[in-house]
Amino acid sequence: MNTRKLVYLFFSTLLIGASSGVIVGVLLDLDTYFDGGFLNFFFGVLWMFGISAAISLVAQMGYFAYLTLHRFALGVFKSVKLWNRIQVVLILFVLFDLIYLRYYAFASEEETLAGYAIMPVLLFMYCILVAYWKRKETNRGAFIPALFFMFVVTTIEWVPALTVDIVNDTKWLWIYVTPLLTANTWQLLILHRLTGVPNEKQSKSHSK
């Protein structure tokens, strides 16, 4: 991949992640943005855009860190199947932790474990859909790595928001996770197009 494509990937991811954060931030707090006049709205959007852009930068660092980890793990384990099994175990472990540890850390007596499972389960379902899309556009072997990246890496990037009591609020959790999800989804689904990696059907047609 040449420099032009890298620059495109960087700025497009930054813009998509930041814009999604602004949209969700405004929709979840309409009164704050619209009750103070145009300048209040303008500077509020600008502030949210800056925060979301910073979060999308974290997503970009996480993506390239995972690409490095993935190559390193394949070299260490010498087996795609073994590395995929390890990733599946880690996915399940993170899903459990994302539900139980937040419940243990923040839940009041009135709150239930089921209430703390809603966001992780929705996140997991979304990640499955993205991973399936990646598999469909490339090959079957891309599903587990894509799911691992979308769920585990996104969760790791989300940790600062998950572990601070101040932002243990559904609104702020969505504001933090939205730029991460949109940036990671975009990176995952655009990279093979930028690098020109053929999908499974194209590979079979070329092999005939």
Side-chain angles (χ1 to χ4, degrees):
M1 187 162 63
N2 57 37
T3 304
R4 182 177 61 84
K5 291 180 179 180
L6 279 173
V7 171
Y8 170 77
L9 178 62
F10 173 80
F11 283 105
S12 62
T13 303
L14 187 69
L15 182 61
I16 288 171
S19 299
S20 67
V22 170
I23 293 170
V24 171
V26 171
L27 290 177
L28 292 179
D29 203 2
L30 290 173
D31 293 339
T32 300
Y33 287 91
F34 287 99
D35 285 353
F38 175 76
L39 287 178
N40 177 74
F41 176 80
F42 176 78
F43 286 110
V45 167
L46 191 63
W47 175 74
M48 184 58 69
F49 187 89
I51 290 177
S52 301
I55 296 172
S56 70
L57 287 176
V58 173
Q60 294 192 56
M61 290 187 289
Y63 187 46
F64 285 100
Y66 174 69
L67 292 177
T68 303
L69 171 66
H70 184 66
R71 289 299 175 187
F72 178 76
L74 289 176
V76 170
F77 297 116
K78 306 295 184 182
S79 170
V80 174
K81 289 184 178 180
L82 177 58
W83 172 227
N84 281 345
R85 288 170 184 170
I86 293 172
Q87 290 184 97
V88 169
V89 172
L90 291 174
I91 290 168
L92 297 176
F93 179 77
V94 169
L95 178 61
F96 171 79
D97 278 358
L98 194 55
I99 298 171
Y100 182 76
L101 292 185
R102 284 193 63 246
Y103 171 76
Y104 180 79
F106 299 117
S108 61
E109 293 183 359
E110 297 80 17
E111 294 177 310
T112 64
L113 184 62
Y116 277 80
I118 294 173
M119 285 191 72
V121 169
L122 289 175
L123 173 63
F124 187 62
M125 291 172 63
Y126 174 81
C127 294
I128 288 176
L129 290 175
V130 174
Y132 175 77
W133 192 354
K134 178 72 174 182
R135 173 190 179 276
K136 187 176 180 181
E137 291 196 351
T138 54
N139 56 74
R140 295 178 183 177
F143 181 80
I144 296 300
L147 180 58
F148 181 91
F149 167 70
M150 285 300 303
F151 187 69
V152 176
V153 176
T154 299
T155 301
I156 292 173
E157 295 164 348
W158 201 19
V159 163
L162 294 171
T163 55
V164 178
D165 189 46
I166 296 175
V167 293
N168 186 41
D169 177 89
T170 302
K171 179 184 75 175
W172 280 103
L173 289 176
W174 281 116
I175 289 173
Y176 270 79
V177 78
T178 300
L180 293 176
L181 279 178
T182 53
N184 284 338
T185 300
W186 173 253
Q187 291 178 109
L188 187 69
L189 297 179
I190 198 65
L191 186 63
H192 61 272
R193 296 172 184 172
L194 294 176
T195 55
V197 176
N199 60 31
E200 210 164 39
K201 290 181 180 178
Q202 289 174 331
S203 299
K204 288 179 180 180
S205 64
H206 286 315
S207 62
K208 291 180 181 180

